[in-house]
Amino acid sequence: MTAIPFKTAPSLRSNRRWALIAAYACLGIFVVFFLFPPYYMLVTSLKTNAEIAELASNPWIVTDGVTLGHYEHLLTESSFPRFFLNTTIVTVIVVAITMVISVLAAYSLARLRFWGSGVLATGVFLTYLVPDTLLFIPLFKIVGWLGLLDTYWSLVLVYPTLTVPFCTWIMIGYFGSIPRELDEAALIDGANHMQMLLKVFIPVALPGLIAATIFAFTVAWANFLYPLAYIYSESEMVLTVGTVTTLIKGDVFHWGGLMAGALLAAAPPVILYAFLMDYYIAGLTSGATKG
Amino acid sequence: MRVLPPLLRRKPAVAVLMCVPLFALILGLVAYPFFHALFLATLNKAETAFVGLDNFTFLFGRQTFWMVVRQSLLFALVAVVFKALIGLAAAHAINTIPTKGQRKWRGMMLIPWVIPPALSTLGWWWLFEPTYSAINWGLTKFAMPAVPWLSDTFWARFSIILVNVWVGAPFFLIMYLAALKSIPGELYEAAEMDGAGPWQKFFFITLPMIRNIIAITTLFSIIVTLANFDIVRVLTQGGPLNTTHLFATYAFRVGIESGDIPLGASVSLFMFPMLAILAFIILRNVRRRAASLA
């Protein structure tokens, strides 16, 4: 008898409550799926070699005491600091080149129409869709002709092909959304194009500029194919390739050091992301929606 | 009457000048390499003689090559479907909970997308390690058999798809979440007044409203997935017995490691027709979307 009132009241409210419970359950499962690999990498990097080699204990937790030995070894007795330095040099230069090229071009394409500017804008978008794996072999020849093979300057040369199209594309979108009254006002005040770009467009479109910078940084930091194909000497290697190829050799239980290396190498983009998540997301979503 | 500054009259020259670096980059490092790849593909291994289409007929005659074609397509389609489904489910779940907590959940779920794939795949490689596999440790704890993750063809293919889904699903999540947020809340309220349940709201409001974003995101992802290199390279290097090679890893093996640059260039070029078709459809979609927003 008491069950009747419950049966007859399947209200919107209880519908919503079930949707909420289902949503949290779903999110819990997804978060475990997305975070268990980095968690396991962290756990492994903190274990002693003896514990990593041991098969009986639970691999998912540190049972035998936490050690920072792998990190210490990595930073003092391996080429890892060299890789880090090389990656930083390449990334900083590539980001700078990318931003100069794409901001200039985006300003021009968004505001100053000229013969062929529409075609060039479409070309930029299509270039953005060209993956690194399509042209790495002819670029290998070009890098060779220029005498850049086996130096990280080859990466400074080729990375902009991956970063500039996307950055230009999203900057066209951001610049295009600035009201024209603003540049007319600046023009009447006697501003030239450089002043207009530096004093009006860049400050107003700063969120877009940050998003583009983060994108260029992430791409340059993470690329794996080009350095693997063009660089062979340990002293010229960058983090991705250095970690994957040089830290694997040596004794059997290299896993602690390998995981420590992978985590340290991934830290800069992850930290940047933690602080600038909203710009990061805005950049990604505007790439496909602005135009 | 406004007096226009002289600069405006010189507009085209300045505008073209500002695009010169971009133009040089596209011409010199994208367009030229593309045509050079076409040229390379017609040479012999030593690059001393013109052999016409011999590289392509050689590839057509090789079983390994057809396996690469099949595996690339299978990999791209299965991985993209799962990325899309997981991304949609996760985005929908985030959009359901109160706004206050959304940032935190979204932030955690995007981490796989931020770690350079070559490095996170190292972690997966260790998870799949035959003797020490921590996943197998968990499976045997629950009385399930250990899985030969990377040594068996089926499981190796499964593993690279799994890792690719793990890396790529957050991208779909971001795109879908942005799209879901753009749907006006009144639509749902009106539907609730009319007595629509959660599934009806999803199929008759949510899906039609974000259809275009689903299409664009999926096409983008097919391109990126089809052209994938890092995951297979780190996880299986194409093995066991070349059964997990994709176009990119096979081109690398043939062109860079075995030193047959013309043959490697030919393998890479095989991606081009597929990419061109996808790019064409994306461009049309993006333009249509831009037109509908304007």
Side-chain angles (χ1 to χ4, degrees):
Chain A
M1 273 304 165
T2 47
I4 289 169
F6 291 100
K7 248 186 183 169
T8 50
S11 64
L12 275 176
R13 182 181 283 249
S14 89
N15 239 344
R16 282 228 178 96
R17 207 172 52 123
W18 278 109
L20 210 57
I21 293 172
Y24 278 116
C26 221
L27 289 177
I29 293 168
F30 284 136
V31 163
V32 170
F33 172 63
F34 285 131
L35 294 186
F36 84 91
Y39 165 77
Y40 186 58
M41 291 166 83
L42 181 67
V43 167
T44 304
S45 74
L46 297 173
K47 286 178 185 173
T48 59
N49 277 337
E51 191 185 341
I52 293 171
E54 204 238 326
L55 277 166
S57 64
N58 182 349
W60 293 95
I61 48 172
V62 185
T63 51
D64 201 22
V66 169
T67 170
L68 291 177
H70 297 301
Y71 290 92
E72 207 184 297
H73 176 85
L74 208 58
L75 294 175
T76 55
E77 285 161 66
S78 76
S79 304
F80 192 82
R82 179 81 234 176
F83 302 153
F84 209 100
L85 181 69
N86 291 350
T87 307
T88 310
I89 295 172
V90 169
T91 304
V92 168
I93 299 177
V94 168
V95 167
I97 293 175
T98 302
M99 292 323 291
V100 170
I101 297 181
S102 36
V103 164
L104 284 178
Y107 173 75
S108 165
L109 291 173
R111 273 299 194 267
L112 319 166
R113 297 293 152 106
F114 56 91
W115 186 82
S117 61
V119 179
L120 188 55
T122 307
V124 167
F125 186 72
L126 290 178
T127 327
Y128 160 46
L129 297 178
V130 174
D132 54 354
T133 47
L134 184 66
L135 299 176
F136 73 101
I137 289 178
L139 283 172
F140 177 82
K141 301 292 288 183
I142 293 171
V143 165
W145 292 333
L146 295 173
L148 299 176
L149 218 52
D150 203 18
T151 69
Y152 56 67
W153 294 105
S154 59
L155 308 179
V156 174
L157 179 77
V158 297
Y159 280 170
T161 61
L162 304 177
T163 54
V164 167
F166 182 79
C167 292
T168 308
W169 181 250
I170 66 169
M171 288 318 293
I172 292 176
Y174 278 100
F175 285 164
S177 65
I178 296 174
R180 280 183 181 275
E181 290 78 32
L182 219 55
D183 27 322
E184 274 163 23
L187 276 178
I188 288 167
D189 288 345
N192 63 31
H193 283 299
M194 259 312 137
Q195 286 168 325
M196 186 132 89
L197 186 57
L198 292 176
K199 302 229 164 92
V200 179
F201 275 68
I202 288 178
V204 174
L206 196 62
L209 208 72
I210 297 174
T213 309
I214 297 174
F215 174 83
F217 175 89
T218 317
V219 167
W221 195 275
N223 192 274
F224 179 59
L225 172 64
Y226 288 149
L228 189 67
Y230 308 153
I231 294 174
Y232 320 101
S233 311
E234 217 169 299
S235 60
E236 295 287 325
M237 278 183 181
V238 290
L239 280 169
T240 46
V241 168
T243 307
V244 172
T245 59
T246 68
L247 299 183
I248 286 176
K249 66 187 179 204
D251 60 15
V252 186
F253 298 108
H254 51 260
W255 292 103
L258 196 57
M259 293 302 117
L263 285 178
L264 277 188
V270 173
I271 292 169
L272 191 76
Y273 156 77
F275 286 104
L276 300 169
M277 183 167 81
D278 293 322
Y279 294 108
Y280 192 94
I281 289 167
L284 275 181
T285 47
S286 65
T289 52
K290 290 242 171 72
Chain B
M1 279 278 129
R2 206 160 64 199
V3 185
L4 287 176
L7 258 169
L8 274 189
R9 269 176 255 130
R10 276 191 280 140
K11 233 168 160 182
V14 181
V16 171
L17 212 60
M18 283 176 149
C19 284
V20 165
L22 172 77
F23 195 64
L25 181 84
I26 294 182
L27 210 63
L29 291 172
V30 181
Y32 172 69
F34 175 71
F35 289 107
H36 191 63
L38 291 177
F39 167 70
L40 279 174
T42 62
L43 299 180
N44 64 350
K45 182 174 178 178
E47 295 171 45
T48 48
F50 177 81
V51 295
L53 295 174
D54 280 8
N55 282 319
F56 292 98
T57 48
F58 173 78
L59 285 174
F60 286 149
R62 302 240 329 195
Q63 250 189 338
T64 313
F65 176 72
W66 289 112
M67 197 157 63
V68 170
V69 175
R70 266 206 315 273
Q71 166 62 8
S72 298
L73 296 176
L74 179 86
F75 167 75
L77 292 179
V78 177
V80 168
V81 166
F82 278 98
K83 281 189 271 194
L85 289 177
I86 291 180
L88 189 57
H92 205 263
I94 291 186
N95 204 36
T96 307
I97 66 170
T99 323
K100 198 160 46 104
Q102 290 184 0
R103 249 183 83 86
K104 189 182 63 190
W105 288 97
R106 187 186 62 177
M108 286 194 286
M109 289 198 200
L110 294 189
I111 287 179
W113 175 258
V114 190
I115 304 175
L119 300 171
S120 54
T121 308
L122 277 179
W124 280 98
W125 190 38
W126 170 223
L127 279 162
F128 292 143
E129 211 274 345
T131 317
Y132 294 93
S133 169
I135 301 181
N136 281 347
W137 182 88
L139 289 176
T140 45
K141 274 282 172 236
F142 290 101
M144 280 182 278
V147 172
W149 294 106
L150 302 177
S151 51
D152 172 84
T153 293
F154 170 80
W155 286 108
R157 288 177 173 164
F158 176 91
S159 303
I160 57 167
I161 289 175
L162 175 68
V163 177
N164 187 268
V165 169
W166 181 82
V167 171
F171 173 65
F172 280 86
L173 164 66
I174 307 174
M175 300 298 283
Y176 289 164
L177 193 58
L180 289 176
K181 297 250 176 249
S182 70
I183 304 176
E186 297 90 57
L187 287 181
Y188 292 110
E189 281 160 27
E192 274 174 16
M193 297 286 185
D194 294 340
W199 290 107
Q200 284 168 314
K201 281 191 283 183
F202 180 74
F203 281 106
F204 295 110
I205 300 177
T206 313
L207 271 190
M209 290 297 284
I210 66 171
R211 208 181 49 198
N212 201 313
I213 277 290
I214 294 182
I216 294 177
T217 312
T218 306
L219 291 163
F220 265 116
S221 182
I222 295 177
I223 290 187
V224 177
T225 315
L226 200 61
N228 188 278
F229 175 80
D230 301 14
I231 295 172
V232 173
R233 178 70 201 182
V234 174
L235 220 49
T236 65
Q237 305 222 349
L241 295 171
N242 295 329
T243 50
T244 56
H245 264 309
L246 307 175
F247 285 117
T249 52
Y250 190 59
F252 190 91
R253 167 68 51 84
V254 171
I256 305 286
E257 287 181 316
S258 308
D260 194 338
I261 288 198
L263 198 61
S266 312
V267 173
S268 256
L269 280 176
F270 258 92
M271 282 190 284
F272 182 72
M274 288 174 253
L275 298 181
I277 294 169
L278 289 164
F280 174 75
I281 306 173
I282 293 178
L283 195 66
R284 221 184 39 182
N285 269 303
V286 169
R287 283 218 173 118
R288 193 181 298 156
R289 190 178 157 76
S292 75
L293 288 177

